[in-house]
Structures are given as C-alpha cells and as structure tokens.
C-alpha cells in the first residue's frame, strides 16, 4: 500500500487515473473540529479542521494545532469509532486529556505489575501492524521484569476463576472459545447458502441464543 501511495504510477496506470471520473486523496496534519451544517440544518455541508504540525520526532512526535483552520466541503462524513480509550477502573491511572494510561514502555506508572499496549498506551496513532508490534514490545518488557525479579510472582492469585465468579454473580454469561466456534460455524454455514464466505450475525441476543443450544 505504501508503494502504491508513494511511487510514481506506470504508463498504463497513469492513463487510467487520467481518465477516471472520480479521485480521492489523503490529507495529513488535520484534526476535525466541527461538522458544518447545511442551510436547512438537517444535512452536513462540510467539516472544519484544525491545521496541525508535528512537534518532536520519531515515535514521540505529536500533532499540535497551528491556530489555522480549514473548511472541507462535502455531503458525506464518516466518523471513525473506537479511536479514543476510556478508563477501565478507578484504581488504574488514566490521562483523560490524552486518552491513555500513563506508562513507561508499557509499564503502567504507579501500578507495579500492570502493563498496557496499543492505543491506550500511546494514543490513537498507527495501523494494525503498529499495534501488533507495540504489543510485542510490551510483552518483551514483561519478560524482562520476570527475569530481573521486578515482577512479583511469588503470591498466588485467583486469576480467571475470580473473574468467572464475578461474572456469574452479575448474571453475565462469558462466551468461551468453544462457544465462539459455534457462532463461527453458523456464520460460515449461512454464508455458504448465500454464496459468500460467511454471513455475520450482528445481534448479540441471537449469538447468545445460538450458543445456549
């Protein structure tokens, strides 16, 4: 994908691009501020964005506003969901401004033995591969702490059994791997009837009913 985006196209591809009726592009160093309404107040007219610049370098670089704004007109605006992390427990430190758990190389500050990874570790930046490599890094630091003795494993903990008992006390039925396999098999079977790899089951209630049999 990077090669397609950065390299000059060949003659054949360039010809197709030149004759295309529509085009799209990526615009970097922009942060959405507000959706601009149409005159009727019922539709979107565009989106106002803050122009940003990179402060710092490498993995520590952050986008900061320049004070300049830019309006991009358009009638269709798609919002990405799930990009901002939320606090999970009052006992776990959380920076609500940055949407991250304060940490040093994945080690949660002020909570020895607790680790984090992904966007809750570094903010909503990067792609799936970035997050995957980030989790490898955190796992490596967990191993380092185990070998150095910094991570205390001398005390026995209830682990998953404690989680299971809490869920049961709240009337919550956890979905096991074998339960998921039932859902997976049903989706594949439904997809086969429709001539595609799978037919996703999107209703959680239907999923739970399926695994209860």
């Amino acid at each position: 994908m990077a090669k397609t985006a950065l390299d000059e196209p060949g003659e054949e591809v360039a010809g197709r691009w030149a004759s295309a009726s529509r085009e799209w592009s990526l615009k970097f160093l922009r942060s959405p501020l507000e959706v601009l309404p149409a005159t009727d107040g019922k539709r979107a007219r565009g989106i106002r964005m803050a122009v940003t610049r990179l402060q710092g370098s490498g993995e520590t670089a952050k986008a900061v506003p320049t004070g300049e704004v830019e309006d991009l007109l358009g009638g269709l605006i798609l919002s990405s969901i799930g990009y901002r992390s939320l606090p999970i427990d009052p006992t776990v430190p959380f920076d609500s401004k940055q949407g991250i758990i304060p940490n040093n190389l994945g080690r949660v500050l002020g909570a020895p033995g607790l680790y984090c990874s992904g966007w809750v570790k570094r903010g909503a930046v990067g792609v799936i591969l970035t997050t995957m490599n980030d989790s490898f890094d955190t796992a490596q630091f967990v191993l380092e702490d185990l070998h150095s003795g910094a991570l205390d494993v001398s005390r026995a903990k209830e682990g998953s059994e404690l989680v299971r008992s809490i869920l049961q006390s709240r009337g919550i039925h956890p979905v096991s791997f074998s339960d998921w396999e039932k859902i997976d098999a049903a989706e594949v079977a439904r997809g086969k009837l429709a001539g595609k790899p799978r037919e996703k089951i999107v209703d959680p209630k239907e999923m739970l009913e399926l695994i209860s049999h």
Side-chain angles (χ1 to χ4, degrees), residues 4-211:
T4 302
L6 299 176
D7 289 0
E8 288 293 329
E11 185 176 339
E12 181 181 349
V13 175
R16 290 204 304 267
W17 287 6
S19 61
S21 60
R22 297 180 182 180
E23 65 177 4
W24 70 277
S25 62
L26 297 172
K27 196 165 233 183
F28 297 100
L29 297 177
R30 303 291 188 277
S31 292
L33 292 175
E34 62 177 315
V35 174
L36 304 174
T39 53
D40 60 8
K42 297 179 180 180
R43 295 173 295 131
R45 177 174 61 88
I47 188 167
R48 177 160 293 161
M49 298 181 292
V51 179
T52 61
R53 62 179 176 82
L54 288 179
Q55 187 177 75
S57 60
E59 292 292 327
T60 61
K62 294 182 179 179
V64 296
T66 62
E68 183 183 350
V69 296
E70 181 180 280
D71 291 349
L72 181 63
L73 301 182
L76 177 64
I77 298 172
L78 304 177
S79 176
S80 175
I81 62 172
Y83 64 90
R84 188 171 182 82
S85 302
L86 300 172
I88 58 172
D89 190 273
T91 62
V92 179
F94 189 77
D95 184 333
S96 57
K97 186 175 181 180
Q98 297 186 65
I100 63 169
I101 292 176
N103 70 93
N104 179 23
L105 302 176
R107 301 178 178 97
V108 177
L109 300 179
L114 193 62
Y115 302 82
C116 62
S117 179
W119 283 3
V120 79
K121 172 184 174 183
R122 67 183 192 281
V125 294
V127 294
I128 293 176
L129 181 61
T130 316
T131 301
M132 184 176 70
N133 288 331
D134 179 65
S135 66
F136 294 157
D137 291 340
T138 296
Q140 185 60 45
F141 297 131
V142 173
L143 290 175
E144 287 183 9
D145 290 350
L146 277 171
H147 294 152
S148 68
L151 186 58
D152 182 15
V153 293
S154 60
R155 294 180 300 165
K157 297 182 180 180
E158 296 180 72
S160 62
E161 289 305 315
L162 176 60
V163 175
R164 188 180 300 277
S165 64
I166 292 174
L167 292 176
Q168 289 177 345
S169 69
R170 297 177 181 177
I172 299 173
H173 175 70
V175 177
S176 65
F177 180 69
S178 59
D179 290 336
W180 174 83
E181 287 182 315
K182 292 180 182 178
I183 298 171
D184 178 60
E187 290 182 343
V188 171
R190 294 182 187 185
K192 189 175 182 180
L193 294 175
K196 55 185 183 179
R198 70 171 60 237
E199 178 73 31
K200 287 293 295 179
I201 301 172
V202 297
D203 184 359
K205 186 177 180 181
E206 185 182 357
M207 293 181 187
L208 294 176
E209 288 176 352
L210 179 67
I211 64 178

